[in-house]
Amino acid sequence: MSNKTTNILYWVLTGLFSAFIIFSSIGGVTLNPQGVELMHDHLGYPNYFIQWISVLKIIGAIAILLPMVPARVKEWAYFGFFVDLSTAVYSFIAVGDPASGWALMFVFVAVLAAAYVLYHKRLALRAAH
């Protein structure tokens, strides 16, 4: 895969993933009634946690988008997103939701994993030059 292709794929996947994270977190920050119904009423998370995790997700999405953010911070952001998504899947399973309600989360995990792999390919390409 060429440098150009790697960069394009990285930015497309990272941009889409970050947009999803930011969009899905806005309702948590503002305690939107639909978000509260899902995360508080259905899954049992306290409102203060919903706001806190939503703010952290927005910060993480910004961190993986900005080139000047140190690599170690980006690594923690990627790890945090993996923990967030896997915890979401576990939470839906724990309350007895059918697979049709949470299986789509694996698409976001796959996009996250692909963006992470491409992030490391970009780092390796930069180090080689």
Side-chain angles (χ1 to χ4, degrees):
M1 183 179 325
S2 72
N3 289 355
K4 186 175 181 177
T5 304
T6 300
N7 278 323
I8 290 170
L9 285 173
Y10 168 77
W11 283 112
V12 167
L13 291 177
T14 301
L16 287 172
F17 183 79
S18 294
F20 160 73
I21 290 294
I22 292 169
F23 178 75
S24 68
S25 297
I26 291 171
V29 171
T30 62
L31 291 179
N32 175 289
Q34 284 180 316
V36 169
E37 181 182 339
L38 174 67
M39 293 186 71
H40 176 71
D41 300 345
H42 184 64
L43 297 177
Y45 294 131
N47 286 339
Y48 65 83
F49 179 78
I50 295 168
Q51 286 183 308
W52 173 243
I53 198 71
S54 296
V55 167
L56 292 177
K57 286 165 55 176
I58 291 170
I59 292 169
I62 292 168
I64 64 172
L65 285 172
L66 295 177
M68 74 284 290
V69 173
R72 182 164 291 185
V73 174
K74 289 180 186 273
E75 289 286 336
W76 278 102
Y78 281 113
F79 177 71
F81 290 134
F82 177 76
V83 169
D84 176 70
L85 292 172
S86 58
T87 300
V89 169
Y90 177 78
S91 296
F92 287 119
I93 293 169
V95 298
D97 283 358
S100 61
W102 49 263
L104 184 61
M105 296 299 287
F106 288 109
V107 172
F108 298 110
V109 171
V111 172
L112 172 67
Y116 181 74
V117 167
L118 290 168
Y119 167 69
H120 278 279
K121 281 189 179 188
R122 290 179 74 235
L123 287 178
L125 289 170
R126 267 193 261 156
H129 284 80

